[in-house]
Amino acid sequence: MEKASALSSVEDTSRITDNAIAVAAIAILILSYCVNAMDRTLFPLILADVRKEFGFTLPQAGLMSTVFTIGMTLAGIPTGYLMSRFTRKTVIQVGIFIYSATTIITVVATAFTDMLFYRAITGVGEAMQLTALLAVFSSYFSRYRAAGVGILNYAYAGGAFIGPWLGGRLLVDYGTWRAPMIIYGLLGFLMMVLIAAVVRPGLSETNTVRQPDQRISAGGVATLKNLNTIVLAILSIIFGLALYGYLGMYPTFLREQLHYAPAEAGRVMSIYGLGVLVSVISGWLGDRFSPRLVLGTSFLLASAIAAMLFNGPAGFATQAGFSLALGAIFSGTIFVNLAACHVKSVSADLSGRASGLFVTSVYGSATIAGYLIGAIVGVSDWTVAGNIQLVLLCLIGAAISLLLKPERMAKRSD
């Protein structure tokens, strides 16, 4: 009897320890994506300084701001296949190394061409990390995949808030755009060390449910060639154009059109990041309600907010409020539910490839988003550019969302 009790006590202690390690590992993975988001949101903030030093035109600056998405486009689908040969943990670490190293190398660029190349390679690493993380979180939280992605997206909220704010402070303190680039790159290397020390393969590679009631998700088709995946890919392309039209060039709009100081522009972009805090709630809604309703309504709201952003008052409070709302809709709702729906549309063994397709679709269109909005501004003005690339595209996205077939997606077994 005493032996059985002792054995039970040891098992309880071991279970508590394993759970604590799992929580720590999840926290480290979230923090690592936070650094990814910080790195991604930094360059648009310092773009005006880079443009001034190198003499880039506005379309060139727009391309420079979003060119990292070329790397994300090229790496998205291949990373899905890569995860079938290597552990997700390894893929995450390699991705972090690539984007951290090239972020630091960017500071030694001498002209448009080599800087463009460095920024593009940065996206390869970011795509590798994001694709693997989406697979990890959608598998680990398989009952509530959208909510699981929402938890991961909190990292983006943190990074999108801290990144511009800290970047603005470092820009002022050091007097050079190179300082925040070097510091952010070093933070990435620190994340690699923490992941190596804390994250166990049992967590990152799991494809089973770790929920108390053991209900699982079932359904989805056994091929990427299906109606839902095609519609979601189109929506992801539209979303990438709108999202990175905003993220890539909105700070330049604030500084050059509305004449905001760097610190003010950084605060507005940080407030955008706070909107992402709705991710878990919006993910839960996506798990509960039809994706046609959730995505369709979200695209409509994004269109309305973007219209006010580029056509409304220029005051700090107004721009910050609209940016907060757009952050909640764009990165807090549409991103989360598009990513989750891509995974829900296929069987579990295709989750990695579905995540890769999502990353490729979003960032493939994002590749030209900054250049496109910069070119439209060049022949018209910021208002027209915002109305075309954000307002109109989001309206089209709302209409296309109606083509989704929720009954063909994976569902929870209750």
Side-chain angles (χ1 to χ4, degrees):
M1 189 74 173
E2 291 180 359
K3 185 176 181 180
S5 177
L7 182 60
S8 176
S9 177
V10 170
E11 290 176 347
D12 289 342
T13 301
S14 177
R15 189 178 301 111
I16 292 172
T17 300
D18 288 344
N19 288 339
I21 292 174
V23 170
I26 289 292
I28 292 299
L29 290 175
I30 290 174
L31 186 60
S32 75
Y33 189 50
C34 179
V35 173
N36 183 318
M38 288 172 60
D39 186 270
R40 201 183 309 175
T41 56
L42 172 64
F43 200 79
L45 177 68
I46 64 174
L47 183 59
D49 300 273
V50 174
R51 183 185 175 202
K52 182 178 179 180
E53 178 177 331
F54 287 89
F56 298 153
T57 65
L58 191 60
Q60 283 179 322
L63 179 60
M64 188 70 69
S65 180
T66 58
V67 72
F68 74 94
T69 58
I70 291 179
M72 297 194 80
T73 302
L74 296 176
I77 292 178
T79 299
Y81 287 92
L82 196 62
M83 285 188 290
S84 66
R85 300 181 61 86
F86 301 95
T87 67
R88 294 166 181 170
K89 176 180 175 179
T90 298
V91 173
I92 290 170
Q93 289 177 292
V94 172
I96 294 174
F97 175 82
I98 291 174
Y99 78 72
S100 298
T102 49
T103 293
I104 294 175
I105 293 172
T106 300
V107 306
V108 301
T110 59
F112 178 79
T113 304
D114 61 335
M115 183 179 288
L116 196 71
F117 175 75
Y118 300 146
R119 296 303 300 160
I121 298 301
T122 298
V124 172
E126 292 179 351
M128 291 177 68
Q129 183 192 13
L130 175 57
T131 302
L133 285 174
L134 287 173
V136 169
F137 277 74
S138 62
S139 296
Y140 192 81
F141 299 97
S142 56
R143 270 188 56 212
Y144 295 101
R145 284 172 172 162
V149 175
I151 292 173
L152 175 63
N153 214 36
Y154 273 141
Y156 186 86
F161 176 78
I162 297 172
W165 171 79
L166 180 59
R169 292 291 300 272
L170 293 172
L171 187 61
V172 172
D173 291 345
Y174 287 91
T176 172
W177 59 268
R178 291 175 173 83
M181 296 283 283
I182 294 171
I183 292 170
Y184 282 21
L186 294 176
L187 285 175
F189 291 136
L190 175 61
M191 287 299 102
M192 288 182 61
V193 174
L194 291 175
I195 290 172
V198 178
V199 178
R200 294 179 175 180
L203 180 141
S204 62
E205 311 314 309
T206 182
N207 284 306
T208 60
V209 181
R210 290 177 177 264
Q211 308 290 341
D213 60 6
Q214 296 300 304
R215 289 182 294 185
I216 62 172
S217 58
V221 298
T223 175
L224 291 175
K225 297 178 181 178
N226 66 84
L227 176 63
N228 281 330
T229 296
I230 293 171
V231 171
L232 289 166
I234 294 172
L235 288 175
S236 298
I237 291 170
I238 290 173
F239 177 58
L241 284 171
L243 175 65
Y244 278 91
Y246 169 84
L247 290 178
M249 292 298 285
Y250 179 65
T252 303
F253 165 71
L254 290 176
R255 294 186 62 181
E256 298 189 0
Q257 177 71 17
L258 302 187
H259 306 295
Y260 278 38
E264 287 181 316
R267 285 198 295 272
V268 172
M269 295 307 295
S270 293
I271 290 170
Y272 170 92
L274 290 178
V276 188
L277 293 175
V278 305
S279 292
V280 172
I281 297 174
S282 64
W284 178 83
L285 290 173
D287 286 322
R288 284 288 178 181
F289 299 100
S290 166
R292 283 186 296 194
L293 174 64
V294 174
L295 289 173
T297 302
S298 297
F299 272 110
L300 278 176
L301 289 174
S303 178
I305 295 167
M308 292 184 285
L309 195 72
F310 285 94
N311 297 273
F316 178 86
T318 303
Q319 290 292 315
F322 291 149
S323 292
L324 175 66
L326 197 62
I329 298 299
F330 265 176
S331 295
T333 303
I334 297 179
F335 180 92
V336 168
N337 285 286
L338 276 177
C341 284
H342 270 276
V343 176
K344 290 178 182 178
S345 295
V346 297
S347 54
D349 59 309
L350 291 176
S351 62
R353 297 181 188 181
S355 296
L357 177 61
F358 165 70
V359 171
T360 293
S361 301
V362 170
Y363 296 105
S365 60
T367 297
I368 62 169
Y371 182 86
L372 179 60
I373 195 169
I376 297 173
V377 172
V379 298
S380 55
D381 55 38
W382 281 102
T383 299
V384 172
N387 288 338
I388 292 175
Q389 193 156 329
L390 276 81
V391 179
L392 179 59
L393 282 180
C394 287
L395 283 175
I396 294 173
I400 293 177
S401 298
L402 299 177
L403 299 176
L404 290 170
K405 302 294 182 183
E407 65 276 7
R408 300 181 186 177
M409 294 185 180
K411 300 176 180 65
R412 292 182 302 120
S413 297
D414 297 320

